Amino acid sequence: MKTYFILLAFAFLSVFHSEAAGEKFIRISTNETDLILQVASDGRLYQTYLGNKLVNESEFGKLPYTLGKVNPGASVLKREVYPCSGTEDYFEPAFAICHNDGNLTSILKYVSTEEKRIDGNVTETIIFLKDEVYPVEVKLHYITFAKENIIKSWSEISHKEKKPVTISRYASSMLYFDAPHYFLTEFSGEWAREVNMTTQELSFGKKVIDTKLGSRAGMLTSPFFEIGLGKEPQENSGEVLMGTISWIGNFQFTFEVDNIKNLRVISGINPYASNYELKPGEVFTTPEFIFTLSNRGVGQASRNFHTWARNYQLKDGKGDRMTLLNNWEATYFSFDQEKLKELMKEAKQLGVDMFLLDDGWFGNKYPRSNDRTSLGDWEATPNKLPGGVPELVKSAKETGIKFGIWVEPEMISVKSELYEKHPDWAITLPNRTPYFFRNQLVLDMSNPAVQDYVFGVVDKLMTENPELAFFKWDCNSPITNIYSPYLKDKQNQLYINHARGVYNVFNRIKNKYPNLPMMLCSGGGARCDYESLKYFTEFWCSDNTDPVERLYIQWGFSQFFPSKAMCAHVTSWNKSASIKFRTDVAMMCKLGFDIRLNEMNPNEKLYCQGAVSNYNRFKKVILDGDLYRLVSPYDGNHTAMMYINETKDKAVLFAYDIFPRFDEKLFTVKPEGLDPGKKYKIEEINLMPGAKSSLNFNGETFSGDYLMKVGLKVFSTSKLNSKVIEITAE
Ligand code: GLA
């Protein structure tokens, strides 16, 4: 007992002693990255290092940003991990609060650290900080995924003041970088032109990427970014940070280059119109900021994200995905039961797994025949669908395919029975003329009664039709007319509580229907945050299905998401591209069709059937394999990507000539990720019926070494030409 006390006292003293000397380090690491934090002698927490993993812990004290005796003059280099407003750090704070007495300052001091091993690969570190003057606490959370080299970070804020406090900054995390140059790649867009990648150098001051759209938050910019440290982000070399915020609502990234050329990256909820009133004892949990730091360019960073998402984040990340036929572009609102039955037969002929019924099936008093009415009335329209949803599920079963359905349950049309019953459920201003986006309003998800109703839409359909196999969950409007009748004088809680309400419903659905595959859709690809993807198996990348546009859009989303999560459909957009070109593009993701078979000639039909069966044969490689982006569409007239399985014995290479110039010089494409010692057979597949491969090496065998060093001449000077090449180890 005595020895125990002596040991305990010693342990306490030694921690205290090293803290006083400014030498207590907290190490947060994956197999490749170290984030090293230091408790300095002032009791505050600083970031000393974020970079490639260090071998010797004994050298932490020598790191240039270590404070204390090693770097006595280092005070100007202080990089506080969670800096607060009102302190001597004159840059953008991570945290700002108004205390009960009106004071606007906080200083957070280190209290303790807790480390939890979740499994052999995953570790959580929680760092407790508190203000010594006000009863305010912040817990910083970090979860590391060692093998995938991914780190999640978020914070929890709480207090014990007498009355609610107002927090006006509540970052998920703040990170510092130290490089001679910083280049930011952002992903901006609009409806039907998502994720355009543009890169710019950051110099002194701030660049902010944020959104104020509320629920279709990612319509103008997506919740992720890349930073090239030293030089522009490259595919296969250089140090890059790739980060994303798991938040379906307004988000904000602030990139600030400070006086000593540190780059400060602050990620979190956008505090716009959201000074949050936090009650005593209530815990404010920020969304997760998820990042990877790669020293082999964005290609490796993307693969880190893809593997991690499949292993840990995406709903049914390891499971299979269904191919489908969707009727949106094939029919728009004009269909009835008979036409749908015909389409189901076409789906069967095509060989896909499922028929997905889109918008236009609901509304009784106000049947949905255009986008102006009926959202909220989720009953099948009797004169269109006399047998209702049960009849359709039954027909699909008889045809030998599964049946899925589209809903947009967070929305309300003024012309609906729901609005007649519950006008106060809509987010809309009582004293101004409403502004409508796509003729609709957004339901107030901060209201628990609305959450119950929205959950009930899916629950009722599933209860009545337990064999429903799939949901496409849409959200076509940003929040307009920002006013919640439910929140009354607490309007600044609306954006945050609304987003939390949406997640609450997603969570309830997943709990009750854990095996139900669901597609996240938001007027195209305006929703794709990794928190939502816990509840969704996939997302719709864009309403733009022109295959040329899709090459860019899919290139953009592939930076962060595995192909398994990205839905791509073959449609009639851009008919100057052949059905083969359109299908070859969609096959790089989760394949679907949204086209009438009766628009195709027999050869095209045959081609599509062959493509579906090829896809089924190697979809594991595409959906679960490693992606190598070989030639960027941003770099010229051609593009190529490949997927390879874990054992490196099967790969599929996709090559596209977009708009090549006359007689232009063609370069080889060098596959990556192969085993140099293995021999691989090259075979062009997905050819039009009766067509022969134009590749003079088709059917030949090459070593992985040769292929990766010399490459293959797969490009041509024909416009809108595509090739799918199977690479198989012998
Ligand atoms: C959105 C979706 C489309 C389709 C329509 C239906 O635009 O992105 O795929 O479902 O809504 O109205």
Side-chain angles (χ1 to χ4, degrees):
M1 192 64 179
K2 212 167 147 197
T3 342
Y4 172 76
F5 274 122
I6 293 169
L7 277 176
L8 198 72
F10 179 74
F12 174 75
L13 278 177
S14 66
V15 170
F16 182 76
H17 176 76
S18 61
E19 275 183 29
E23 280 170 0
K24 180 179 166 56
F25 294 104
I26 300 163
R27 182 179 201 179
I28 293 155
S29 37
T30 67
N31 288 351
E32 299 200 22
T33 303
D34 261 329
L35 170 62
I36 299 172
L37 313 179
Q38 180 195 12
V39 182
S41 51
D42 60 6
R44 288 156 71 173
L45 186 69
Y46 298 94
Q47 180 190 312
T48 36
Y49 180 77
L50 173 55
N52 289 334
K53 191 158 183 170
L54 299 171
V55 174
N56 302 310
E57 273 198 28
S58 58
E59 288 175 325
F60 287 2
K62 297 179 186 163
L63 287 163
Y65 284 96
T66 295
L67 302 169
K69 57 182 182 222
V70 184
N71 292 304
S75 59
V76 288
L77 301 178
K78 283 183 175 176
R79 308 193 300 179
E80 194 159 14
V81 173
Y82 208 66
C84 308
S85 68
T87 63
E88 70 283 6
D89 184 305
Y90 296 111
F91 294 90
E92 203 56 41
F95 179 60
I97 188 168
C98 179
H99 298 286
N100 282 184
D101 62 1
N103 189 309
L104 298 172
T105 69
S106 289
I107 292 185
L108 294 171
K109 297 252 176 133
Y110 174 80
V111 179
S112 61
T113 310
E114 194 186 324
E115 199 178 282
K116 297 188 209 160
R117 267 246 180 237
I118 295 173
D119 63 34
N121 189 45
V122 186
T123 307
E124 178 166 16
T125 307
I126 308 170
I127 303 171
F128 297 80
L129 306 173
K130 78 170 189 353
D131 192 327
E132 287 174 343
V133 178
Y134 292 91
V136 173
E137 280 182 19
V138 172
K139 284 186 204 169
L140 303 176
H141 290 255
Y142 299 86
I143 296 192
T144 55
F145 299 83
K147 260 198 309 158
E148 295 82 4
N149 190 21
I150 292 277
I151 303 181
K152 280 182 170 183
S153 58
W154 75 96
S155 38
E156 284 179 350
I157 301 159
S158 62
H159 72 95
K160 292 196 186 105
E161 297 198 19
K162 291 215 162 56
K163 288 189 286 164
V165 298
T166 303
I167 49 174
S168 53
R169 287 286 194 287
Y170 26 77
S172 296
S173 89
M174 176 147 171
L175 299 172
Y176 298 80
F177 296 88
D178 192 14
H181 299 276
Y182 307 105
F183 292 89
L184 167 71
T185 299
E186 60 182 316
F187 298 77
S188 62
E190 239 297 1
W191 174 78
R193 51 182 179 86
E194 287 83 350
V195 291
N196 296 282
M197 295 172 68
T198 48
T199 300
Q200 60 186 271
E201 183 163 4
L202 301 171
S203 50
F204 181 81
K206 268 181 287 187
K207 156 85 186 174
V208 174
I209 296 177
D210 70 2
T211 167
K212 303 182 178 73
L213 295 163
S215 68
R216 190 181 170 180
M219 183 167 76
L220 306 178
T221 185
S222 295
F224 39 81
F225 64 85
E226 298 171 354
I227 297 276
L229 298 165
K231 55 182 182 185
E232 288 197 19
Q234 312 284 313
E235 190 64 30
N236 287 323
S237 65
E239 237 187 306
V240 306
L241 164 77
M242 284 183 40
T244 179
I245 187 90
S246 298
W247 187 242
I248 202 165
N250 297 341
F251 58 83
Q252 187 177 70
F253 298 121
T254 304
F255 306 92
E256 185 166 30
V257 179
D258 65 19
N259 54 330
I260 52 164
K261 232 175 176 285
N262 274 311
L263 171 67
R264 299 155 172 245
V265 179
I266 309 179
S267 312
I269 297 175
N270 186 355
Y272 164 76
S274 300
N275 281 351
Y276 201 89
E277 208 174 89
L278 191 65
K279 294 194 209 86
E282 183 185 344
V283 178
F284 184 94
T285 305
T286 71
E288 293 168 352
F289 173 63
I290 307 167
F291 68 96
T292 185
L293 196 64
S294 151
N295 55 16
R296 276 159 287 148
V298 290
Q300 184 55 50
S302 295
R303 288 186 289 281
N304 294 348
F305 264 104
H306 299 171
T307 319
W308 163 80
R310 287 189 299 253
N311 287 345
Y312 293 101
Q313 191 79 5
L314 186 63
K315 182 173 185 185
D316 196 20
K318 301 210 182 188
D320 195 6
R321 295 291 182 271
M322 286 186 280
T323 52
L324 60 85
L325 177 72
N326 186 198
N327 72 312
W328 175 239
E329 291 189 24
T331 64
Y332 292 106
F333 294 100
S334 107
F335 57 81
D336 58 17
Q337 191 167 287
E338 291 320 302
K339 196 163 189 179
L340 295 182
K341 287 186 181 178
E342 260 173 56
L343 281 164
M344 289 180 200
K345 287 193 191 117
E346 291 183 14
K348 182 68 188 169
Q349 276 178 41
L350 204 53
V352 295
D353 303 312
M354 177 179 61
F355 175 71
L356 170 62
L357 171 60
D358 214 284
D359 194 355
W361 59 268
F362 51 92
N364 192 343
K365 182 169 172 190
Y366 304 107
R368 173 99 165 160
S369 52
N370 55 49
D371 63 15
R372 270 174 243 124
T373 68
S374 329
L375 292 169
D377 301 347
W378 299 101
E379 300 279 348
T381 305
N383 60 357
K384 248 181 174 174
L385 305 171
V389 177
E391 173 67 20
L392 298 173
V393 177
K394 190 169 138 253
S395 302
K397 196 172 181 184
E398 283 163 9
T399 316
I401 52 167
K402 305 240 189 253
F403 183 78
I405 199 160
W406 177 97
V407 288
E408 196 185 2
E410 297 157 62
M411 301 286 148
I412 184 164
S413 305
V414 168
K415 211 166 169 193
S416 69
E417 293 183 68
L418 185 70
Y419 192 81
E420 286 169 355
K421 247 188 273 156
H422 297 290
D424 57 322
W425 280 9
I427 296 179
T428 190
L429 286 156
N431 51 356
R432 293 183 199 277
T433 315
Y435 167 74
F436 294 99
F437 190 102
R438 211 199 188 203
N439 309 302
Q440 62 201 55
L441 295 174
V442 177
L443 283 171
D444 181 1
M445 300 292 285
S446 72
N447 180 344
V450 175
Q451 291 173 26
D452 287 346
Y453 156 81
V454 174
F455 168 74
V457 172
V458 170
D459 194 35
K460 183 162 183 283
L461 278 161
M462 284 304 290
T463 310
E464 289 172 3
N465 306 281
E467 289 184 275
L468 260 177
F470 187 85
F471 275 79
K472 174 178 175 184
W473 179 296
D474 212 338
C475 161
N476 276 301
S477 177
I479 297 182
T480 54
N481 322 291
I482 179 80
Y483 181 85
S484 154
Y486 172 76
L487 289 171
K488 302 196 177 73
D489 64 344
K490 302 262 182 300
Q491 294 302 317
N492 42 15
Q493 319 280 101
L494 177 52
Y495 281 123
I496 293 176
N497 288 1
H498 179 85
R500 287 181 176 160
V502 173
Y503 286 138
N504 182 27
V505 172
F506 289 170
N507 192 25
R508 283 172 71 183
I509 294 172
K510 187 177 173 191
N511 283 341
K512 187 148 181 200
Y513 305 103
N515 302 319
L516 180 65
M518 309 226 309
M519 182 202 292
L520 181 64
C521 174
S522 184
R527 278 184 167 179
C528 57
D529 63 286
Y530 263 121
E531 180 65 22
S532 295
L533 288 174
K534 273 187 187 164
Y535 312 109
F536 288 82
T537 46
E538 53 217 74
F539 70 93
W540 181 231
C541 301
S542 178
D543 279 353
N544 191 334
T545 48
D546 174 333
V548 173
E549 296 299 325
R550 273 294 181 133
L551 287 172
Y552 292 85
I553 292 169
Q554 292 170 194
W555 186 272
F557 279 120
S558 80
Q559 307 286 314
F560 283 85
F561 303 101
S563 52
K564 168 171 269 185
M566 291 164 50
C567 303
H569 295 175
V570 181
T571 73
S572 307
W573 280 52
N574 192 355
K575 279 197 172 157
S576 55
S578 65
I579 191 82
K580 168 171 165 57
F581 190 92
R582 285 179 266 155
T583 309
D584 289 354
V585 172
M587 275 175 83
M588 292 194 293
C589 298
K590 203 221 80 162
L591 176 68
F593 290 79
D594 194 347
I595 192 166
R596 288 304 309 262
L597 241 55
N598 61 14
E599 278 179 25
M600 297 182 197
N601 66 35
N603 242 6
E604 291 175 330
K605 235 190 253 178
L606 216 57
Y607 162 80
C608 286
Q609 287 163 331
V612 172
S613 88
N614 278 335
Y615 186 78
N616 284 336
R617 193 162 52 75
F618 54 61
K619 72 175 165 183
K620 260 206 91 42
V621 180
I622 295 173
L623 301 181
D624 295 314
D626 273 339
L627 166 70
Y628 288 88
R629 288 181 297 253
L630 305 176
V631 180
S632 168
Y634 284 92
D635 287 345
N637 308 330
H638 312 267
T639 178
M641 283 170 117
M642 70 174 275
Y643 299 88
I644 180 161
N645 67 0
E646 218 185 329
T647 46
K648 296 180 184 296
D649 47 26
K650 174 71 86 187
V652 189
L653 171 78
F654 293 87
Y656 307 88
D657 307 305
I658 309 172
F659 298 117
R661 305 293 303 274
F662 171 74
D663 199 25
E664 76 167 61
K665 164 109 177 106
L666 298 170
F667 294 92
T668 58
V669 171
K670 294 175 186 158
E672 287 164 35
L674 300 172
D675 179 341
K678 279 188 177 153
K679 293 259 188 239
Y680 292 93
K681 184 167 182 205
I682 304 295
E683 202 181 355
E684 183 177 0
I685 54 159
N686 252 26
L687 290 156
M688 288 303 285
K692 286 222 170 67
S693 172
S694 58
L695 302 174
N696 55 13
F697 49 82
N698 195 35
E700 283 184 24
T701 298
F702 301 87
S703 68
D705 175 67
Y706 176 94
L707 289 170
M708 291 194 289
K709 289 179 180 159
V710 181
L712 295 171
K713 282 219 166 211
V714 292
F715 289 145
S716 81
T717 51
S718 310
K719 291 190 174 34
L720 296 178
N721 185 44
S722 59
K723 291 189 187 76
V724 181
I725 295 163
E726 214 175 330
I727 303 177
T728 314
E730 298 208 312

